[in-house]
Amino acid sequence: MEKPRYYFVDDRSTANIDFSNLGFDYIPCPYRFEAVFEHGIWRVRGLLEDGTMHLREGSQGLHYGQQLFEGMKVQRGSDDRIYAFRPRDNSRRMNDGARYLCGAEVPEELFIRGLEEVVQANLPYIPPAGSGAALYIRPMWLGVGDNVGVKPAADYVFRIFVTPVGPYFKGGFGPDQGKSCMVSAHDRAAPCGSGHIKAGGNYAASFKSGTQAKAAGFADALFLDPAERRYIEEIGAANFLAFKGDALITPDSGSILPSITRKSLLQIASEIFGWPTEERKIAIDELDEVAAAACCGTAAVITWISRIVDGDRSWDFPFDERWQRLYDELQGIQTGAKDDPFGWRHEITG
Ligand SMILES: Cc1ncc(COP(=O)(O)O)c(C=O)c1O
């Protein structure tokens, strides 16, 4: 079947948006992609103009949190091409979640088709190269149907909407943009629970911590491991990174989200820069020996952490040039400005 075409990738028209001054907010775009799982098969609804979803009131996604989402960025490169970054990894992570929540997996090719169609349909909303902004891609999945019992749904909706975004943390990346975090008194996920999947309920459970941290003047909350409250987990919606001596270290935990950005940075660090990397438990007390701290994610990219406060204890960290090198390499690969030795770019062609 011929794919619907609204724009061609070599069409340079852009929406009337001040792309250089965007925050991380929802700006409606004309089209979203949707598919439904009914009678045991996926059916493509295609590109829709309606940004309001019409759901059965008994849907498990609404009552029992049988729901997942993903987050990706598409950027117009310095070579004027359009790139997504490792979208198949997001598809696999969403399906890890679907299996954990006992629902229907979204076929990888359907996920990729949805990504390509929705990006092509909203082409003028991709920020120009160099604006510091990106088109944020939000795939979502939820169990639907007429139901009241506590059990997985038979039917599912998979939707992808897009919205142009600027930096997640105000100010973005830079030596003068250190962010502070407060160790939360609450946990976002249980030790053997759902912390490793991108289920919406994990985020609802993190709102109290994030709200308290922001009210106290911090950029975000830092979570400790929920079993012993001794080891660092992650920071808001981003994984934790630190330099201890020469090594780039990051927490090993079954209750944090396995970040695709982190996985990429670890590979850049070890295979491009030749730095030692360690994925292991990091006790909060070990911050005494840490030279520099940061967090990373699709939205946060790399954000360096200048201060961590835990009750009456605190740690201050300087900016480290190695964050800049990692940031430049990652951004360079994502935007076509650098070689892509690992095959991470996914070009969207019209
Ligand atoms: C809880 C949490 N941790 C880490 C990340 C970073 O993951 P990724 O690099 O795949 O975006 C995210 C965001 O997506 C997140 O929500």
Side-chain angles (χ1 to χ4, degrees), residues 276-338:
T277 60
E278 295 169 17
E279 200 171 333
R280 60 166 173 80
K281 299 224 166 293
I282 303 173
I284 181 97
D285 294 344
E286 202 180 335
L287 289 179
D288 291 345
E289 297 151 41
V290 151
C295 64
C296 71
T298 297
V301 195
I302 301 179
T303 301
W304 76 277
I305 304 295
S306 52
R307 187 170 173 79
I308 295 175
V309 175
D310 179 21
D312 52 11
R313 298 193 294 173
S314 65
W315 296 265
D316 290 296
F317 305 103
F319 180 73
D320 191 303
E321 278 303 321
R322 290 173 288 186
W323 299 135
Q324 186 77 54
R325 288 189 64 191
L326 286 168
Y327 182 91
D328 291 345
E329 195 66 32
L330 179 70
Q331 280 280 109
I333 293 175
Q334 288 176 336
T335 57
K338 298 212 179 214

Side-chain angles (χ1 to χ4, degrees), residues 17-330:
I17 289 174
D18 182 6
F19 288 110
S20 304
N21 288 305
L22 290 178
F24 200 87
D25 299 305
Y26 177 89
I27 295 174
C29 288
Y31 298 101
R32 57 279 304 137
F33 176 88
E34 195 172 271
V36 289
F37 184 84
E38 287 168 348
H39 312 295
I41 51 165
W42 283 102
R43 177 167 58 83
V44 173
R45 278 197 180 139
L47 292 163
L48 310 176
E49 290 182 52
D50 192 353
T52 301
M53 295 180 77
H54 301 270
L55 300 170
R56 307 302 306 172
E57 64 191 9
S59 292
Q60 279 87 337
L62 299 177
H63 297 258
Y64 306 127
Q66 197 191 19
Q67 182 275 339
L68 299 162
F69 68 99
E70 272 299 331
M72 300 183 272
K73 276 179 181 167
V74 160
Q75 305 191 53
R76 193 178 279 280
S78 42
D79 55 5
D80 230 2
R81 295 179 171 189
I82 293 166
Y83 297 113
F85 185 67
R86 309 187 75 171
R88 290 182 187 276
D89 291 62
N90 294 85
S91 166
R92 287 175 204 139
R93 188 167 67 187
M94 178 169 259
N95 281 338
D96 289 344
R99 283 192 297 278
Y100 190 82
L101 298 184
C102 302
E105 293 180 39
V106 178
E108 196 169 303
E109 291 317 316
L110 174 59
F111 188 100
I112 298 296
R113 172 178 170 182
L115 165 71
E116 293 182 345
E117 286 195 18
V118 79
V119 169
Q120 285 167 28
N122 293 289
L123 215 57
Y125 291 80
I126 302 176
S131 63
L135 189 69
Y136 184 73
I137 315 293
R138 171 51 63 87
M140 53 194 283
W141 171 101
L142 70 165
V144 294
D146 291 323
N147 178 74
V148 76
V150 180
K151 60 176 185 300
D155 299 341
Y156 293 84
V157 173
F158 170 62
R159 176 179 275 235
I160 310 180
F161 72 78
V162 301
T163 190
V165 293
Y168 184 67
F169 289 111
K170 210 167 177 290
F173 182 79
D176 56 344
Q177 290 297 335
K179 304 290 181 243
S180 60
C181 315
M182 181 181 105
V183 173
S184 178
H186 308 284
D187 303 323
R188 68 181 277 283
C192 297
S194 61
H196 62 293
I197 62 167
K198 213 162 159 65
N202 295 336
Y203 295 79
S206 74
F207 286 170
K208 193 170 186 68
S209 306
T211 305
Q212 284 176 339
K214 283 166 198 158
F218 295 89
D220 221 326
L222 185 150
F223 294 98
L224 295 181
D225 79 279
E228 297 182 65
R229 303 197 52 80
R230 196 174 146 203
Y231 300 102
I232 294 175
E233 288 265 284
E234 49 187 339
I235 293 178
N239 279 178
F240 180 77
L241 297 169
F243 280 110
K244 185 175 176 186
D246 289 347
L248 179 61
I249 63 172
T250 188
D252 177 23
S253 162
S255 47
I256 64 173
L257 192 77
S259 155
I260 295 160
T261 313
R262 174 175 79 155
K263 183 166 75 167
S264 309
L265 291 171
L266 290 175
Q267 199 169 342
I268 289 171
S270 68
E271 294 183 32
I272 298 185
F273 297 148
W275 299 340
T277 60
E278 295 169 17
E279 200 171 333
R280 60 166 173 80
K281 299 224 166 293
I282 303 173
I284 181 97
D285 294 344
E286 202 180 335
L287 289 179
D288 291 345
E289 297 151 41
V290 151
C295 64
C296 71
T298 297
V301 195
I302 301 179
T303 301
W304 76 277
I305 304 295
S306 52
R307 187 170 173 79
I308 295 175
V309 175
D310 179 21
D312 52 11
R313 298 193 294 173
S314 65
W315 296 265
D316 290 296
F317 305 103
F319 180 73
D320 191 303
E321 278 303 321
R322 290 173 288 186
W323 299 135
Q324 186 77 54
R325 288 189 64 191
L326 286 168
Y327 182 91
D328 291 345
E329 195 66 32
L330 179 70

Side-chain angles (χ1 to χ4, degrees), residues 7-18:
Y7 306 95
F8 292 90
V9 284
D10 50 1
D11 180 348
R12 298 284 170 272
S13 49
T14 48
N16 186 18
I17 289 174
D18 182 6

